């Protein structure tokens, strides 16, 4: 076990500021290797018991897209982790989608920024126009991809809790995303 001293802190942070960043869930650890110099393993650091959060609901809006798009479409995504955090159920409802829906992903990234895909919630084309339940199902750790490949669902849950994840619906009319929900 180690300790962080004032002289160890970079980027002009004080110890008090670093503690506040820890409390806000904005700190992560990253292990860099020769094979993956950008980082091979990453994990959020949190002072909140991640077991306390089981349910996440996010509104899907075109205004959340980066950049924002103009559409009348809207939606709601619900995610529920089981008691052991080994499974997560989801349901995605959308309305007023005017073109074919191409796919729907979970991404890692803060609001206002685009990030990598860690799970494809639905990858089949659904003919538009469309209103109703677009996708539902369950996710296990073995289904994760991208930077979460080989990780567990606790990592995804912590990304939801700290606002470091978003969901995105891609359509024929908006190939870079029509609806986005930021956690």
């Amino acid at each position: 076990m180690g300790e962080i001293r004032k002289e160890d802190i970079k980027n002009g942070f004080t110890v008090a500021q670093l503690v506040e960043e820890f409390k806000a869930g904005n700190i992560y650890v990253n292990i860099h290797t020769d094979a993956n110099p950008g980082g091979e393993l990453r994990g959020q650091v949190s002072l909140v018991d991640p077991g306390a959060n089981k349910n996440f609901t996010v509104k899907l809006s075109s205004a959340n897209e980066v950049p924002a798009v103009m559409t009348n479409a809207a939606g709601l995504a619900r995610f529920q982790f089981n008691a052991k955090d080994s499974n997560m159920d989801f349901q995605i409802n959308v309305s007023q989608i005017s073109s074919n829906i191409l796919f729907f992903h979970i991404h890692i990234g803060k609001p206002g920024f685009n990030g990598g895909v860690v799970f494809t919630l639905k990858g089949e084309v659904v003919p538009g126009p469309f209103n109703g339940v677009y996708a539902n199902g369950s996710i296990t750790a073995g289904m994760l991809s991208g930077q979460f490949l080989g990780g567990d669902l606790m990592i995804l849950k912590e990304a939801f809790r700290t606002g470091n994840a978003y969901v995105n619906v891609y359509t024929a009319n908006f190939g870079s995303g029509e609806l986005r929900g930021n956690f």
Side-chain angles (χ1 to χ4, degrees):
M1 183 164 2
E3 65 180 52
I4 299 174
R5 299 173 307 214
K6 179 180 176 182
E7 57 269 16
D8 297 325
I9 302 171
K10 308 290 186 230
N11 300 328
F13 277 94
T14 66
V15 172
Q17 289 171 319
L18 185 62
V19 168
E20 290 305 311
E21 291 296 311
F22 270 106
K23 288 179 181 177
N26 294 330
I27 302 293
Y28 65 91
V29 294
N30 201 355
I31 298 173
H32 302 266
T33 64
D34 289 336
N36 293 290
E40 185 162 330
L41 295 173
R42 176 180 164 155
Q44 280 310 117
V45 177
S46 175
L47 301 177
V48 174
D49 175 10
N53 300 330
K54 298 288 181 199
N55 302 307
F56 296 87
T57 301
V58 62
K59 290 183 181 180
L60 307 176
S61 169
S62 61
N64 293 332
E65 287 294 341
V66 179
V69 298
M70 298 297 294
T71 177
N72 291 323
L76 188 70
R78 291 189 178 128
F79 300 88
Q80 181 176 13
F81 289 83
N82 70 358
K84 294 181 180 182
D85 294 322
S86 61
N87 187 70
M88 179 180 70
D89 293 329
F90 66 90
Q91 180 169 314
I92 315 308
N93 297 349
V94 295
S95 63
Q96 298 187 22
I97 299 280
S98 61
S99 65
N100 291 348
I101 304 173
L102 305 178
F103 42 87
F104 186 62
H105 295 142
I106 298 174
H107 294 258
I108 297 305
K110 288 205 170 279
F113 297 91
N114 292 320
V117 173
V118 295
F119 187 76
T120 299
L121 293 157
K122 186 152 186 159
E124 303 86 34
V125 173
V126 174
F130 188 87
N131 293 288
V133 177
Y134 164 61
N136 58 26
S138 294
I139 302 170
T140 62
M143 300 165 82
L144 297 175
S145 62
Q147 67 192 78
F148 282 9
L149 182 65
D152 61 31
L153 285 183
M154 290 294 290
I155 297 169
L156 182 59
K157 183 189 216 182
E158 188 63 6
F160 283 10
R161 190 194 68 75
T162 58
N164 289 301
Y166 64 94
V167 292
N168 214 5
V169 177
Y170 300 85
T171 65
N173 285 349
F174 298 93
S176 62
E178 182 166 354
L179 294 174
R180 176 172 166 158
N182 301 315
F183 287 94

